[in-house]
Amino acid sequence: MTTILYYAPRFIRPIVPVCLVKYFKADIQIVDIDDDMENFARDFPLKQCPSLINRETGLYLTETVSIDQYLIKTYCKDPEEVKRLLGSSILEESEVLRWESFSVSDVLNKEVGYVGPLTGYMPYDKDAHAQAKEKFDVVLKIFEDHLKKHQFLVSDHVTLADLSVSSSFFFGFNFAFDENWSKQYPNITRWYKEVTKSPYVAEFFKDKEQAKAFPQPPK
């Protein structure tokens, strides 16, 4: 009975689920969608990943938030570690879910909308890009202000909220957020560097470097 986690290295949302599978040494096969597109497309017609399936047991999960929860609660054998990752109270659990949901929806979408056209990932339109920047600036201010007062997003240690949001910010740090950008957002940068050294995701981030220069709009 093989459980499969479908991912694609070009996508951001599968980063944390893949890292969790590896960290917990879960008995799950990690499969690139391009290596099994026929089966993947048949079972997941929207062709979105991450997706988790065991065709024999009927396990069928989509959406990063649900998959992260499933992986931690199923494969983490230490109840205290589960609490540290997902929250030790109803309020903390709700805060973790809040930031994680925000991360894989508004944060990532607005970040890609702003950075994507500068990198050739998306078509560039001057007016549309100005609007995208304005929207993403609001997101950045939320995090910069919050992290000015807190070491991490929810508690005094890394939670799933931090893992999820840092993976979303990877797109920006990898392609655009250079040292000059970091001077504008020192709290985000401090937090990002700390979280990405966490043992849960360190293997993924160990060879990733911050962008050397902020890309300029195409002419």
PDB file of all heavy atoms in Angstrom, residues 39-73:
ATOM      1  N   ASN A  39      -1.105   9.108 -14.414  1.00  0.00           N
ATOM      2  CA  ASN A  39      -1.818   8.749 -13.189  1.00  0.00           C
ATOM      3  C   ASN A  39      -2.174   9.986 -12.371  1.00  0.00           C
ATOM      4  O   ASN A  39      -3.270  10.078 -11.799  1.00  0.00           O
ATOM      5  CB  ASN A  39      -0.974   7.796 -12.346  1.00  0.00           C
ATOM      6  CG  ASN A  39      -0.877   6.420 -12.949  1.00  0.00           C
ATOM      7  OD1 ASN A  39      -1.845   5.899 -13.495  1.00  0.00           O
ATOM      8  ND2 ASN A  39       0.303   5.821 -12.869  1.00  0.00           N
ATOM      9  N   PHE A  40      -1.253  10.924 -12.300  1.00  0.00           N
ATOM     10  CA  PHE A  40      -1.500  12.150 -11.544  1.00  0.00           C
ATOM     11  C   PHE A  40      -2.696  12.910 -12.108  1.00  0.00           C
ATOM     12  O   PHE A  40      -3.600  13.313 -11.362  1.00  0.00           O
ATOM     13  CB  PHE A  40      -0.256  13.033 -11.572  1.00  0.00           C
ATOM     14  CG  PHE A  40      -0.461  14.406 -10.976  1.00  0.00           C
ATOM     15  CD1 PHE A  40      -0.664  14.562  -9.620  1.00  0.00           C
ATOM     16  CD2 PHE A  40      -0.448  15.535 -11.785  1.00  0.00           C
ATOM     17  CE1 PHE A  40      -0.857  15.826  -9.062  1.00  0.00           C
ATOM     18  CE2 PHE A  40      -0.632  16.796 -11.244  1.00  0.00           C
ATOM     19  CZ  PHE A  40      -0.833  16.940  -9.882  1.00  0.00           C
ATOM     20  N   ALA A  41      -2.747  13.095 -13.411  1.00  0.00           N
ATOM     21  CA  ALA A  41      -3.836  13.843 -14.046  1.00  0.00           C
ATOM     22  C   ALA A  41      -5.169  13.106 -13.928  1.00  0.00           C
ATOM     23  O   ALA A  41      -6.224  13.742 -13.823  1.00  0.00           O
ATOM     24  CB  ALA A  41      -3.498  14.102 -15.505  1.00  0.00           C
ATOM     25  N   ARG A  42      -5.111  11.793 -13.938  1.00  0.00           N
ATOM     26  CA  ARG A  42      -6.344  11.018 -13.782  1.00  0.00           C
ATOM     27  C   ARG A  42      -6.929  11.194 -12.395  1.00  0.00           C
ATOM     28  O   ARG A  42      -8.140  11.390 -12.234  1.00  0.00           O
ATOM     29  CB  ARG A  42      -6.050   9.533 -14.028  1.00  0.00           C
ATOM     30  CG  ARG A  42      -7.281   8.618 -13.914  1.00  0.00           C
ATOM     31  CD  ARG A  42      -6.865   7.182 -13.815  1.00  0.00           C
ATOM     32  NE  ARG A  42      -6.109   6.929 -12.583  1.00  0.00           N
ATOM     33  CZ  ARG A  42      -5.122   6.054 -12.485  1.00  0.00           C
ATOM     34  NH1 ARG A  42      -4.724   5.363 -13.543  1.00  0.00           N
ATOM     35  NH2 ARG A  42      -4.506   5.888 -11.325  1.00  0.00           N
ATOM     36  N   ASP A  43      -6.070  11.142 -11.374  1.00  0.00           N
ATOM     37  CA  ASP A  43      -6.561  11.228  -9.994  1.00  0.00           C
ATOM     38  C   ASP A  43      -6.763  12.659  -9.516  1.00  0.00           C
ATOM     39  O   ASP A  43      -7.589  12.912  -8.638  1.00  0.00           O
ATOM     40  CB  ASP A  43      -5.575  10.528  -9.058  1.00  0.00           C
ATOM     41  CG  ASP A  43      -5.554   9.023  -9.267  1.00  0.00           C
ATOM     42  OD1 ASP A  43      -6.640   8.445  -9.487  1.00  0.00           O
ATOM     43  OD2 ASP A  43      -4.464   8.430  -9.230  1.00  0.00           O
ATOM     44  N   PHE A  44      -6.005  13.587 -10.097  1.00  0.00           N
ATOM     45  CA  PHE A  44      -6.096  14.993  -9.687  1.00  0.00           C
ATOM     46  C   PHE A  44      -6.281  15.849 -10.947  1.00  0.00           C
ATOM     47  O   PHE A  44      -5.316  16.425 -11.462  1.00  0.00           O
ATOM     48  CB  PHE A  44      -4.838  15.404  -8.924  1.00  0.00           C
ATOM     49  CG  PHE A  44      -4.595  14.599  -7.683  1.00  0.00           C
ATOM     50  CD1 PHE A  44      -3.704  13.528  -7.704  1.00  0.00           C
ATOM     51  CD2 PHE A  44      -5.262  14.883  -6.509  1.00  0.00           C
ATOM     52  CE1 PHE A  44      -3.474  12.770  -6.566  1.00  0.00           C
ATOM     53  CE2 PHE A  44      -5.045  14.128  -5.355  1.00  0.00           C
ATOM     54  CZ  PHE A  44      -4.154  13.063  -5.388  1.00  0.00           C
ATOM     55  N   PRO A  45      -7.510  15.921 -11.447  1.00  0.00           N
ATOM     56  CA  PRO A  45      -7.755  16.595 -12.734  1.00  0.00           C
ATOM     57  C   PRO A  45      -7.386  18.073 -12.753  1.00  0.00           C
ATOM     58  O   PRO A  45      -7.149  18.629 -13.828  1.00  0.00           O
ATOM     59  CB  PRO A  45      -9.253  16.376 -12.969  1.00  0.00           C
ATOM     60  CG  PRO A  45      -9.824  16.011 -11.641  1.00  0.00           C
ATOM     61  CD  PRO A  45      -8.734  15.313 -10.904  1.00  0.00           C
ATOM     62  N   LEU A  46      -7.316  18.726 -11.596  1.00  0.00           N
ATOM     63  CA  LEU A  46      -6.885  20.126 -11.572  1.00  0.00           C
ATOM     64  C   LEU A  46      -5.376  20.250 -11.756  1.00  0.00           C
ATOM     65  O   LEU A  46      -4.864  21.346 -11.988  1.00  0.00           O
ATOM     66  CB  LEU A  46      -7.303  20.797 -10.262  1.00  0.00           C
ATOM     67  CG  LEU A  46      -8.801  21.042 -10.070  1.00  0.00           C
ATOM     68  CD1 LEU A  46      -9.062  21.659  -8.703  1.00  0.00           C
ATOM     69  CD2 LEU A  46      -9.360  21.928 -11.167  1.00  0.00           C
ATOM     70  N   LYS A  47      -4.673  19.124 -11.624  1.00  0.00           N
ATOM     71  CA  LYS A  47      -3.223  19.067 -11.822  1.00  0.00           C
ATOM     72  C   LYS A  47      -2.481  20.045 -10.912  1.00  0.00           C
ATOM     73  O   LYS A  47      -1.550  20.732 -11.326  1.00  0.00           O
ATOM     74  CB  LYS A  47      -2.860  19.325 -13.287  1.00  0.00           C
ATOM     75  CG  LYS A  47      -3.469  18.320 -14.259  1.00  0.00           C
ATOM     76  CD  LYS A  47      -3.065  18.626 -15.696  1.00  0.00           C
ATOM     77  CE  LYS A  47      -3.733  17.665 -16.656  1.00  0.00           C
ATOM     78  NZ  LYS A  47      -3.386  17.957 -18.070  1.00  0.00           N
ATOM     79  N   GLN A  48      -2.924  20.103  -9.669  1.00  0.00           N
ATOM     80  CA  GLN A  48      -2.276  20.969  -8.695  1.00  0.00           C
ATOM     81  C   GLN A  48      -1.549  20.116  -7.656  1.00  0.00           C
ATOM     82  O   GLN A  48      -2.023  19.033  -7.284  1.00  0.00           O
ATOM     83  CB  GLN A  48      -3.307  21.863  -7.996  1.00  0.00           C
ATOM     84  CG  GLN A  48      -3.982  22.847  -8.943  1.00  0.00           C
ATOM     85  CD  GLN A  48      -5.059  23.663  -8.266  1.00  0.00           C
ATOM     86  OE1 GLN A  48      -5.535  23.325  -7.188  1.00  0.00           O
ATOM     87  NE2 GLN A  48      -5.452  24.757  -8.896  1.00  0.00           N
ATOM     88  N   CYS A  49      -0.406  20.598  -7.233  1.00  0.00           N
ATOM     89  CA  CYS A  49       0.319  19.877  -6.200  1.00  0.00           C
ATOM     90  C   CYS A  49       0.812  20.874  -5.147  1.00  0.00           C
ATOM     91  O   CYS A  49       0.924  22.072  -5.442  1.00  0.00           O
ATOM     92  CB  CYS A  49       1.481  19.078  -6.807  1.00  0.00           C
ATOM     93  SG  CYS A  49       2.708  20.056  -7.679  1.00  0.00           S
ATOM     94  N   PRO A  50       0.983  20.359  -3.912  1.00  0.00           N
ATOM     95  CA  PRO A  50       1.085  18.950  -3.558  1.00  0.00           C
ATOM     96  C   PRO A  50      -0.266  18.239  -3.537  1.00  0.00           C
ATOM     97  O   PRO A  50      -1.305  18.857  -3.304  1.00  0.00           O
ATOM     98  CB  PRO A  50       1.662  18.998  -2.140  1.00  0.00           C
ATOM     99  CG  PRO A  50       1.112  20.282  -1.579  1.00  0.00           C
ATOM    100  CD  PRO A  50       1.161  21.239  -2.726  1.00  0.00           C
ATOM    101  N   SER A  51      -0.211  16.954  -3.767  1.00  0.00           N
ATOM    102  CA  SER A  51      -1.370  16.075  -3.658  1.00  0.00           C
ATOM    103  C   SER A  51      -0.899  14.771  -3.036  1.00  0.00           C
ATOM    104  O   SER A  51       0.195  14.299  -3.329  1.00  0.00           O
ATOM    105  CB  SER A  51      -1.992  15.816  -5.030  1.00  0.00           C
ATOM    106  OG  SER A  51      -2.462  17.009  -5.618  1.00  0.00           O
ATOM    107  N   LEU A  52      -1.737  14.203  -2.192  1.00  0.00           N
ATOM    108  CA  LEU A  52      -1.365  12.998  -1.449  1.00  0.00           C
ATOM    109  C   LEU A  52      -2.407  11.923  -1.705  1.00  0.00           C
ATOM    110  O   LEU A  52      -3.616  12.174  -1.600  1.00  0.00           O
ATOM    111  CB  LEU A  52      -1.293  13.312   0.048  1.00  0.00           C
ATOM    112  CG  LEU A  52      -0.674  12.264   0.969  1.00  0.00           C
ATOM    113  CD1 LEU A  52       0.824  12.124   0.698  1.00  0.00           C
ATOM    114  CD2 LEU A  52      -0.891  12.649   2.431  1.00  0.00           C
ATOM    115  N   ILE A  53      -1.937  10.701  -2.034  1.00  0.00           N
ATOM    116  CA  ILE A  53      -2.886   9.651  -2.371  1.00  0.00           C
ATOM    117  C   ILE A  53      -2.353   8.277  -1.992  1.00  0.00           C
ATOM    118  O   ILE A  53      -1.147   8.021  -2.051  1.00  0.00           O
ATOM    119  CB  ILE A  53      -3.216   9.677  -3.891  1.00  0.00           C
ATOM    120  CG1 ILE A  53      -4.389   8.759  -4.221  1.00  0.00           C
ATOM    121  CG2 ILE A  53      -1.997   9.320  -4.734  1.00  0.00           C
ATOM    122  CD1 ILE A  53      -4.942   8.933  -5.627  1.00  0.00           C
ATOM    123  N   ASN A  54      -3.250   7.440  -1.539  1.00  0.00           N
ATOM    124  CA  ASN A  54      -3.008   6.004  -1.443  1.00  0.00           C
ATOM    125  C   ASN A  54      -4.208   5.355  -2.102  1.00  0.00           C
ATOM    126  O   ASN A  54      -5.307   5.344  -1.543  1.00  0.00           O
ATOM    127  CB  ASN A  54      -2.848   5.536   0.004  1.00  0.00           C
ATOM    128  CG  ASN A  54      -2.430   4.079   0.096  1.00  0.00           C
ATOM    129  OD1 ASN A  54      -3.028   3.213  -0.537  1.00  0.00           O
ATOM    130  ND2 ASN A  54      -1.404   3.801   0.877  1.00  0.00           N
ATOM    131  N   ARG A  55      -4.013   4.832  -3.268  1.00  0.00           N
ATOM    132  CA  ARG A  55      -5.131   4.338  -4.079  1.00  0.00           C
ATOM    133  C   ARG A  55      -5.797   3.111  -3.471  1.00  0.00           C
ATOM    134  O   ARG A  55      -6.953   2.820  -3.778  1.00  0.00           O
ATOM    135  CB  ARG A  55      -4.647   4.063  -5.506  1.00  0.00           C
ATOM    136  CG  ARG A  55      -4.165   5.310  -6.232  1.00  0.00           C
ATOM    137  CD  ARG A  55      -3.725   5.047  -7.662  1.00  0.00           C
ATOM    138  NE  ARG A  55      -3.312   6.276  -8.327  1.00  0.00           N
ATOM    139  CZ  ARG A  55      -2.065   6.735  -8.349  1.00  0.00           C
ATOM    140  NH1 ARG A  55      -1.100   6.045  -7.753  1.00  0.00           N
ATOM    141  NH2 ARG A  55      -1.772   7.873  -8.954  1.00  0.00           N
ATOM    142  N   GLU A  56      -5.087   2.388  -2.615  1.00  0.00           N
ATOM    143  CA  GLU A  56      -5.660   1.189  -1.996  1.00  0.00           C
ATOM    144  C   GLU A  56      -6.487   1.515  -0.767  1.00  0.00           C
ATOM    145  O   GLU A  56      -7.516   0.888  -0.517  1.00  0.00           O
ATOM    146  CB  GLU A  56      -4.547   0.204  -1.651  1.00  0.00           C
ATOM    147  CG  GLU A  56      -3.810  -0.329  -2.874  1.00  0.00           C
ATOM    148  CD  GLU A  56      -2.734  -1.316  -2.483  1.00  0.00           C
ATOM    149  OE1 GLU A  56      -2.996  -2.209  -1.659  1.00  0.00           O
ATOM    150  OE2 GLU A  56      -1.609  -1.194  -3.008  1.00  0.00           O
ATOM    151  N   THR A  57      -6.052   2.487   0.018  1.00  0.00           N
ATOM    152  CA  THR A  57      -6.779   2.810   1.251  1.00  0.00           C
ATOM    153  C   THR A  57      -7.831   3.891   1.046  1.00  0.00           C
ATOM    154  O   THR A  57      -8.667   4.112   1.922  1.00  0.00           O
ATOM    155  CB  THR A  57      -5.804   3.287   2.343  1.00  0.00           C
ATOM    156  OG1 THR A  57      -5.206   4.526   1.927  1.00  0.00           O
ATOM    157  CG2 THR A  57      -4.709   2.249   2.578  1.00  0.00           C
ATOM    158  N   GLY A  58      -7.763   4.577  -0.075  1.00  0.00           N
ATOM    159  CA  GLY A  58      -8.723   5.651  -0.324  1.00  0.00           C
ATOM    160  C   GLY A  58      -8.262   7.010   0.175  1.00  0.00           C
ATOM    161  O   GLY A  58      -9.026   7.990   0.111  1.00  0.00           O
ATOM    162  N   LEU A  59      -7.036   7.087   0.669  1.00  0.00           N
ATOM    163  CA  LEU A  59      -6.499   8.386   1.093  1.00  0.00           C
ATOM    164  C   LEU A  59      -6.380   9.296  -0.124  1.00  0.00           C
ATOM    165  O   LEU A  59      -5.796   8.933  -1.138  1.00  0.00           O
ATOM    166  CB  LEU A  59      -5.122   8.200   1.720  1.00  0.00           C
ATOM    167  CG  LEU A  59      -4.338   9.480   2.044  1.00  0.00           C
ATOM    168  CD1 LEU A  59      -5.044  10.278   3.129  1.00  0.00           C
ATOM    169  CD2 LEU A  59      -2.919   9.149   2.464  1.00  0.00           C
ATOM    170  N   TYR A  60      -6.949  10.489   0.005  1.00  0.00           N
ATOM    171  CA  TYR A  60      -6.952  11.433  -1.122  1.00  0.00           C
ATOM    172  C   TYR A  60      -6.993  12.832  -0.542  1.00  0.00           C
ATOM    173  O   TYR A  60      -8.006  13.261   0.007  1.00  0.00           O
ATOM    174  CB  TYR A  60      -8.181  11.180  -2.008  1.00  0.00           C
ATOM    175  CG  TYR A  60      -8.292  12.067  -3.219  1.00  0.00           C
ATOM    176  CD1 TYR A  60      -7.868  11.622  -4.475  1.00  0.00           C
ATOM    177  CD2 TYR A  60      -8.847  13.341  -3.135  1.00  0.00           C
ATOM    178  CE1 TYR A  60      -7.986  12.419  -5.609  1.00  0.00           C
ATOM    179  CE2 TYR A  60      -8.967  14.160  -4.250  1.00  0.00           C
ATOM    180  CZ  TYR A  60      -8.539  13.685  -5.481  1.00  0.00           C
ATOM    181  OH  TYR A  60      -8.654  14.493  -6.608  1.00  0.00           O
ATOM    182  N   LEU A  61      -5.864  13.527  -0.626  1.00  0.00           N
ATOM    183  CA  LEU A  61      -5.797  14.870  -0.061  1.00  0.00           C
ATOM    184  C   LEU A  61      -5.200  15.843  -1.069  1.00  0.00           C
ATOM    185  O   LEU A  61      -4.215  15.531  -1.739  1.00  0.00           O
ATOM    186  CB  LEU A  61      -4.942  14.897   1.206  1.00  0.00           C
ATOM    187  CG  LEU A  61      -5.535  14.301   2.479  1.00  0.00           C
ATOM    188  CD1 LEU A  61      -4.505  14.337   3.596  1.00  0.00           C
ATOM    189  CD2 LEU A  61      -6.793  15.045   2.900  1.00  0.00           C
ATOM    190  N   THR A  62      -5.801  16.996  -1.143  1.00  0.00           N
ATOM    191  CA  THR A  62      -5.239  18.116  -1.883  1.00  0.00           C
ATOM    192  C   THR A  62      -5.130  19.287  -0.909  1.00  0.00           C
ATOM    193  O   THR A  62      -5.609  19.204   0.230  1.00  0.00           O
ATOM    194  CB  THR A  62      -6.122  18.523  -3.072  1.00  0.00           C
ATOM    195  OG1 THR A  62      -7.413  18.934  -2.572  1.00  0.00           O
ATOM    196  CG2 THR A  62      -6.313  17.359  -4.038  1.00  0.00           C
ATOM    197  N   GLU A  63      -4.482  20.353  -1.338  1.00  0.00           N
ATOM    198  CA  GLU A  63      -4.311  21.583  -0.563  1.00  0.00           C
ATOM    199  C   GLU A  63      -3.213  21.407   0.484  1.00  0.00           C
ATOM    200  O   GLU A  63      -3.245  20.514   1.332  1.00  0.00           O
ATOM    201  CB  GLU A  63      -5.600  22.059   0.105  1.00  0.00           C
ATOM    202  CG  GLU A  63      -6.788  22.153  -0.830  1.00  0.00           C
ATOM    203  CD  GLU A  63      -6.506  23.009  -2.065  1.00  0.00           C
ATOM    204  OE1 GLU A  63      -5.796  24.021  -1.950  1.00  0.00           O
ATOM    205  OE2 GLU A  63      -6.997  22.640  -3.144  1.00  0.00           O
ATOM    206  N   THR A  64      -2.270  22.305   0.442  1.00  0.00           N
ATOM    207  CA  THR A  64      -1.093  22.237   1.304  1.00  0.00           C
ATOM    208  C   THR A  64      -1.449  22.223   2.785  1.00  0.00           C
ATOM    209  O   THR A  64      -0.854  21.470   3.561  1.00  0.00           O
ATOM    210  CB  THR A  64      -0.178  23.443   1.018  1.00  0.00           C
ATOM    211  OG1 THR A  64       0.070  23.532  -0.376  1.00  0.00           O
ATOM    212  CG2 THR A  64       1.137  23.306   1.753  1.00  0.00           C
ATOM    213  N   VAL A  65      -2.391  23.041   3.188  1.00  0.00           N
ATOM    214  CA  VAL A  65      -2.746  23.131   4.602  1.00  0.00           C
ATOM    215  C   VAL A  65      -3.202  21.777   5.139  1.00  0.00           C
ATOM    216  O   VAL A  65      -2.776  21.338   6.211  1.00  0.00           O
ATOM    217  CB  VAL A  65      -3.832  24.200   4.826  1.00  0.00           C
ATOM    218  CG1 VAL A  65      -4.286  24.214   6.286  1.00  0.00           C
ATOM    219  CG2 VAL A  65      -3.320  25.576   4.425  1.00  0.00           C
ATOM    220  N   SER A  66      -4.065  21.100   4.397  1.00  0.00           N
ATOM    221  CA  SER A  66      -4.573  19.808   4.868  1.00  0.00           C
ATOM    222  C   SER A  66      -3.481  18.750   4.856  1.00  0.00           C
ATOM    223  O   SER A  66      -3.402  17.909   5.764  1.00  0.00           O
ATOM    224  CB  SER A  66      -5.760  19.358   4.000  1.00  0.00           C
ATOM    225  OG  SER A  66      -5.351  19.047   2.681  1.00  0.00           O
ATOM    226  N   ILE A  67      -2.624  18.777   3.852  1.00  0.00           N
ATOM    227  CA  ILE A  67      -1.559  17.777   3.760  1.00  0.00           C
ATOM    228  C   ILE A  67      -0.532  17.964   4.878  1.00  0.00           C
ATOM    229  O   ILE A  67      -0.087  16.994   5.495  1.00  0.00           O
ATOM    230  CB  ILE A  67      -0.897  17.834   2.368  1.00  0.00           C
ATOM    231  CG1 ILE A  67      -1.892  17.354   1.308  1.00  0.00           C
ATOM    232  CG2 ILE A  67       0.381  16.988   2.328  1.00  0.00           C
ATOM    233  CD1 ILE A  67      -1.421  17.532  -0.121  1.00  0.00           C
ATOM    234  N   ASP A  68      -0.162  19.197   5.168  1.00  0.00           N
ATOM    235  CA  ASP A  68       0.773  19.458   6.266  1.00  0.00           C
ATOM    236  C   ASP A  68       0.216  18.943   7.587  1.00  0.00           C
ATOM    237  O   ASP A  68       0.935  18.312   8.381  1.00  0.00           O
ATOM    238  CB  ASP A  68       1.051  20.955   6.384  1.00  0.00           C
ATOM    239  CG  ASP A  68       1.930  21.484   5.255  1.00  0.00           C
ATOM    240  OD1 ASP A  68       2.577  20.668   4.578  1.00  0.00           O
ATOM    241  OD2 ASP A  68       1.960  22.710   5.059  1.00  0.00           O
ATOM    242  N   GLN A  69      -1.045  19.222   7.841  1.00  0.00           N
ATOM    243  CA  GLN A  69      -1.677  18.751   9.072  1.00  0.00           C
ATOM    244  C   GLN A  69      -1.648  17.225   9.147  1.00  0.00           C
ATOM    245  O   GLN A  69      -1.305  16.640  10.187  1.00  0.00           O
ATOM    246  CB  GLN A  69      -3.135  19.240   9.131  1.00  0.00           C
ATOM    247  CG  GLN A  69      -3.308  20.726   9.325  1.00  0.00           C
ATOM    248  CD  GLN A  69      -3.237  21.134  10.776  1.00  0.00           C
ATOM    249  OE1 GLN A  69      -3.685  20.409  11.661  1.00  0.00           O
ATOM    250  NE2 GLN A  69      -2.661  22.284  11.046  1.00  0.00           N
ATOM    251  N   TYR A  70      -2.001  16.584   8.061  1.00  0.00           N
ATOM    252  CA  TYR A  70      -2.037  15.125   8.016  1.00  0.00           C
ATOM    253  C   TYR A  70      -0.650  14.534   8.280  1.00  0.00           C
ATOM    254  O   TYR A  70      -0.497  13.591   9.070  1.00  0.00           O
ATOM    255  CB  TYR A  70      -2.565  14.649   6.662  1.00  0.00           C
ATOM    256  CG  TYR A  70      -2.545  13.150   6.502  1.00  0.00           C
ATOM    257  CD1 TYR A  70      -3.592  12.365   6.984  1.00  0.00           C
ATOM    258  CD2 TYR A  70      -1.463  12.515   5.889  1.00  0.00           C
ATOM    259  CE1 TYR A  70      -3.574  10.981   6.860  1.00  0.00           C
ATOM    260  CE2 TYR A  70      -1.436  11.137   5.753  1.00  0.00           C
ATOM    261  CZ  TYR A  70      -2.489  10.373   6.239  1.00  0.00           C
ATOM    262  OH  TYR A  70      -2.464   8.999   6.110  1.00  0.00           O
ATOM    263  N   LEU A  71       0.352  15.068   7.628  1.00  0.00           N
ATOM    264  CA  LEU A  71       1.705  14.531   7.766  1.00  0.00           C
ATOM    265  C   LEU A  71       2.216  14.657   9.195  1.00  0.00           C
ATOM    266  O   LEU A  71       2.793  13.719   9.750  1.00  0.00           O
ATOM    267  CB  LEU A  71       2.652  15.250   6.807  1.00  0.00           C
ATOM    268  CG  LEU A  71       2.418  14.994   5.314  1.00  0.00           C
ATOM    269  CD1 LEU A  71       3.333  15.887   4.483  1.00  0.00           C
ATOM    270  CD2 LEU A  71       2.641  13.529   4.964  1.00  0.00           C
ATOM    271  N   ILE A  72       2.007  15.812   9.808  1.00  0.00           N
ATOM    272  CA  ILE A  72       2.504  16.032  11.166  1.00  0.00           C
ATOM    273  C   ILE A  72       1.767  15.145  12.165  1.00  0.00           C
ATOM    274  O   ILE A  72       2.383  14.484  13.011  1.00  0.00           O
ATOM    275  CB  ILE A  72       2.385  17.512  11.550  1.00  0.00           C
ATOM    276  CG1 ILE A  72       3.370  18.346  10.726  1.00  0.00           C
ATOM    277  CG2 ILE A  72       2.651  17.706  13.043  1.00  0.00           C
ATOM    278  CD1 ILE A  72       3.190  19.846  10.862  1.00  0.00           C
ATOM    279  N   LYS A  73       0.444  15.091  12.063  1.00  0.00           N
ATOM    280  CA  LYS A  73      -0.334  14.320  13.032  1.00  0.00           C
ATOM    281  C   LYS A  73      -0.197  12.812  12.831  1.00  0.00           C
ATOM    282  O   LYS A  73      -0.396  12.038  13.768  1.00  0.00           O
ATOM    283  CB  LYS A  73      -1.801  14.736  12.961  1.00  0.00           C
ATOM    284  CG  LYS A  73      -2.053  16.134  13.496  1.00  0.00           C
ATOM    285  CD  LYS A  73      -3.531  16.466  13.554  1.00  0.00           C
ATOM    286  CE  LYS A  73      -3.767  17.822  14.198  1.00  0.00           C
ATOM    287  NZ  LYS A  73      -5.203  18.153  14.297  1.00  0.00           N
TER     288      LYS A  73
END
